Amino acid sequence: MDLNEKIDMIGRLYLGLEQIEDCAEFSALIPEVRTNFVYASKEATTPEDVLAVDGRISVADGFPKAIGRIKFGASGYMAHLLLEIRKKDPEIRSIIDFSNNPEIAEFLMAYCKERGWNFSVVDRSFEPENLKDTEGEAISWTVEEAIRGAGGKMPRIFYETSAVGKEPVSILVGKDPLEVAEQICELARTYHSSGQKTR
């Protein structure tokens, strides 16, 4: 990765993060494990090639707030998830995670249908026992299931049901952080105006 690509990536993730930090409505969609927002380089092969928010995004004074700075290699699970997604669809370079519960799940289904977005559900109860302790394999299975549930295409949004020790989360994918930030903020505002609460 050359210096120009690094500068471009940092600028795009920073501007996307700025949008999210200005979107109070997204606070209601930040899960207990907090949110991460990640962006892979064009030729990413390891988490070190993935830019993320160190410490994730939490809530401060009613607004989303990055806990640390953005840096390469700052994410584990989300970076691995993005790398697996890119094996299936290299155009996807950025993803963000957010809350899930039955109300959000119902909202997401309708929201995606209205926009003509592919959507799917990954039921963790079907995760093969032999994968539960091998994170890389389990992530690969998750991506395969997300695609299978969306009829063979990578869904714009998918969510995982809960499992032992795992909080259920939703994932939104996109080509770059500016697109992802714009879409997650629009989703959060629509969810907020629908009058539903996460808790």
Side-chain angles (χ1 to χ4, degrees):
M1 182 185 350
D2 66 21
L3 184 60
N4 286 338
E5 185 180 2
K6 280 188 177 178
I7 290 167
D8 180 65
M9 286 180 68
I10 290 166
R12 284 176 179 273
L13 191 64
Y14 181 83
L15 290 172
L17 184 59
E18 216 173 42
Q19 278 189 63
I20 288 168
E21 288 186 323
D22 284 341
C23 179
E25 294 86 351
F26 184 63
S27 297
L29 292 176
I30 292 177
E32 297 293 339
V33 293
R34 296 180 293 191
T35 283
N36 215 330
F37 183 24
V38 301
Y39 185 27
S41 67
K42 288 174 188 168
E43 305 298 330
T45 55
T46 74
E48 293 302 314
D49 302 319
V50 179
L51 197 58
V53 180
D54 195 18
R56 306 189 183 186
I57 300 166
S58 193
V59 181
D61 299 323
F63 281 83
K65 181 71 181 169
I67 299 300
R69 64 191 180 92
I70 54 175
K71 66 178 190 179
F72 287 93
S75 173
Y77 179 79
M78 286 289 282
H80 281 292
L81 180 62
L82 178 54
L83 291 170
E84 282 298 323
I85 287 170
R86 283 177 51 73
K87 288 178 187 176
K88 306 295 182 182
D89 187 345
E91 286 202 356
I92 293 169
R93 290 184 58 195
S94 184
I95 61 175
I96 193 167
D97 63 337
F98 58 103
S99 288
N100 198 306
N101 63 31
E103 291 75 29
I104 295 173
E106 193 177 327
F107 165 79
L108 289 177
M109 206 174 296
Y111 187 85
C112 290
K113 191 175 180 181
E114 267 177 35
R115 281 156 183 74
W117 288 1
N118 281 344
F119 169 77
S120 71
V121 180
V122 176
D123 188 340
R124 294 295 290 269
S125 68
F126 289 110
E127 185 180 328
E129 282 297 324
N130 63 319
L131 300 186
K132 291 189 189 295
D133 297 322
T134 53
E135 188 171 273
E137 292 298 319
I139 291 171
S140 179
W141 176 85
T142 297
V143 173
E144 293 278 359
E145 281 295 292
I147 292 169
R148 189 184 63 76
K153 286 185 176 179
M154 179 56 64
R156 179 69 59 92
I157 292 177
F158 66 92
Y159 72 80
E160 302 176 42
T161 60
S162 60
V164 177
K166 299 271 188 181
E167 183 181 2
V169 294
S170 309
I171 306 288
L172 184 146
V173 313
K175 292 181 180 178
D176 80 3
L178 296 172
E179 177 186 70
V180 169
E182 187 179 325
Q183 290 177 351
I184 198 66
C185 291
E186 185 185 339
L187 183 152
R189 290 182 189 110
T190 306
Y191 181 76
H192 179 78
S193 66
S194 73
Q196 299 189 69
K197 305 286 182 196
T198 58
R199 290 175 175 79

